[in-house]
Amino acid sequence: MSSDTGIQGFRETSFTYQGKTRRVYRAGTGPGVVVMHEIPGITPQVIKFARELVAAGFTVAMPDMFGEPGKALSTPYIAGQLARACISREFSVLAANKASPITEWLRALSRDLHNEIGGKGVGAIGMCLTGNFALALAMDECMRAPVLSQPSLPLPLTKAKRRALHIAPQQLECLKRRAQDENLKVLGLRFHGDPLSPPERFQTLRAELGEQFEAIEIESKFGNPEGNKPAHSVLTTDLIDQSGEPTREALDRVLAFFKETLV
């Protein structure tokens, strides 16, 4: 099901799995990439990032998981949507060793996108609350390019949760097997000093995946001075979209990663 309403330049479609239907915004041609937006929703900054993917030659599928598409950022908006996510049964924000239930729906969306487009496979990027979701999506062979931007779940309230990856032990074993046997690579991005995306999480990924995990870690001072304090959203709110800026270089690396893996 689709229409031409919603975000300018994107078709508003829907996808249903196990009785749950959500809006999915689609645009572009070429290999598929699932864009999982951050808190508080599909903001103008997230839309700008999605358009970068479209311009680079990818088909973007951007599911609407919370918030109001196109609504601008504000502190009350962020706080309200975070509170809703924390009490939602679909988001297990404190779970260290299991993925949020919504990832099953997202896996089905990824498979459907691959079945439609074909090719080598699809990519996915999660941001903040959805950051680690790309790891759960990599349980399916069609997922070839998982990207984690400032992964923030589980909320890092304890030492164990700071190290945790928000996937079940059997999912981690599957990820490691795919990394070894299928040359699956994972790309991660974060700012130094980001309390929501602690360095221990990337240390775990390095220990488990070795050279198959590529990390981009940026000093907070290179984030958008008008953005978060400390800097948090590498590819959206804290992006400085100018040549030579570390955040722009990180965005270019994400685009190159998808091209290397999917094209």
Side-chain angles (χ1 to χ4, degrees):
M1 172 181 174
S2 67
S3 72
D4 293 324
T5 61
I7 301 169
Q8 185 175 5
F10 286 75
R11 293 180 295 114
E12 182 182 312
T13 71
S14 65
F15 179 70
T16 302
Y17 178 70
Q18 292 186 340
K20 182 66 177 181
T21 301
R22 289 185 175 83
R23 290 182 294 188
V24 180
Y25 292 93
R26 294 278 303 265
T29 58
V33 176
V34 176
V35 174
M36 298 174 284
H37 61 79
E38 59 199 341
I39 288 287
I42 303 175
T43 61
Q45 292 91 341
V46 172
I47 295 168
K48 181 182 177 182
F49 169 74
R51 288 180 174 140
E52 289 270 6
L53 288 170
V54 171
F58 297 99
T59 299
V60 168
M62 186 163 52
D64 178 12
M65 293 177 282
F66 39 78
E68 180 181 333
K71 184 175 179 177
L73 279 169
S74 70
T75 299
Y77 183 30
I78 293 171
Q81 292 305 314
L82 180 58
R84 288 185 62 184
C86 286
I87 63 174
S88 170
R89 293 181 178 180
E90 293 186 301
F91 295 89
S92 303
V93 298
L94 296 178
N97 298 312
K98 70 174 183 179
S100 287
I102 196 173
T103 57
E104 290 300 314
W105 186 92
L106 292 163
R107 286 176 63 184
L109 174 65
S110 300
R111 294 192 297 267
D112 184 73
L113 186 64
H114 178 58
N115 289 337
E116 174 191 338
I117 296 175
K120 295 180 180 179
V122 297
I125 180 166
M127 309 174 185
C128 183
L129 198 72
T130 67
N132 273 334
F133 287 6
L135 296 178
L137 271 57
M139 299 305 100
D140 293 304
E141 291 185 1
C142 69
M143 181 53 59
R144 295 298 312 168
V147 178
L148 291 59
S149 192
Q150 69 273 1
S152 303
L153 293 188
L155 295 179
L157 303 180
T158 66
K159 288 183 179 180
K161 286 180 169 54
R162 289 171 67 86
R163 295 191 302 268
L165 300 180
H166 198 61
I167 53 175
Q170 61 269 29
Q171 291 179 314
L172 177 57
E173 289 305 310
C174 177
L175 187 68
K176 291 165 65 175
R177 177 192 57 77
R178 291 199 64 201
Q180 179 177 344
D181 297 345
E182 303 173 32
N183 197 33
L184 180 75
K185 293 181 172 63
V186 176
L187 176 63
L189 308 93
R190 62 177 291 274
F191 281 105
H192 289 293
D194 181 357
L196 290 175
S197 187
E200 292 91 335
R201 199 156 288 161
F202 277 21
Q203 290 168 10
T204 297
L205 285 164
R206 290 188 184 97
E208 298 291 354
L209 300 180
E211 293 182 355
Q212 297 303 103
F213 175 61
E214 177 183 347
I216 297 174
E217 297 179 278
I218 302 170
E219 292 292 341
S220 187
K221 66 181 180 180
F222 293 115
N224 176 9
E226 303 300 322
N228 306 288
K229 299 293 184 296
H232 174 65
S233 300
V234 178
L235 303 172
T236 56
T237 309
D238 290 298
L239 171 71
I240 301 178
D241 195 6
Q242 298 174 12
S243 178
E245 287 288 343
T247 48
R248 179 65 224 192
E249 291 175 353
L251 172 55
D252 290 339
R253 177 59 193 138
V254 170
L255 299 177
F257 180 71
F258 284 139
K259 287 181 179 179
E260 290 165 7
T261 312
L262 303 177
V263 176

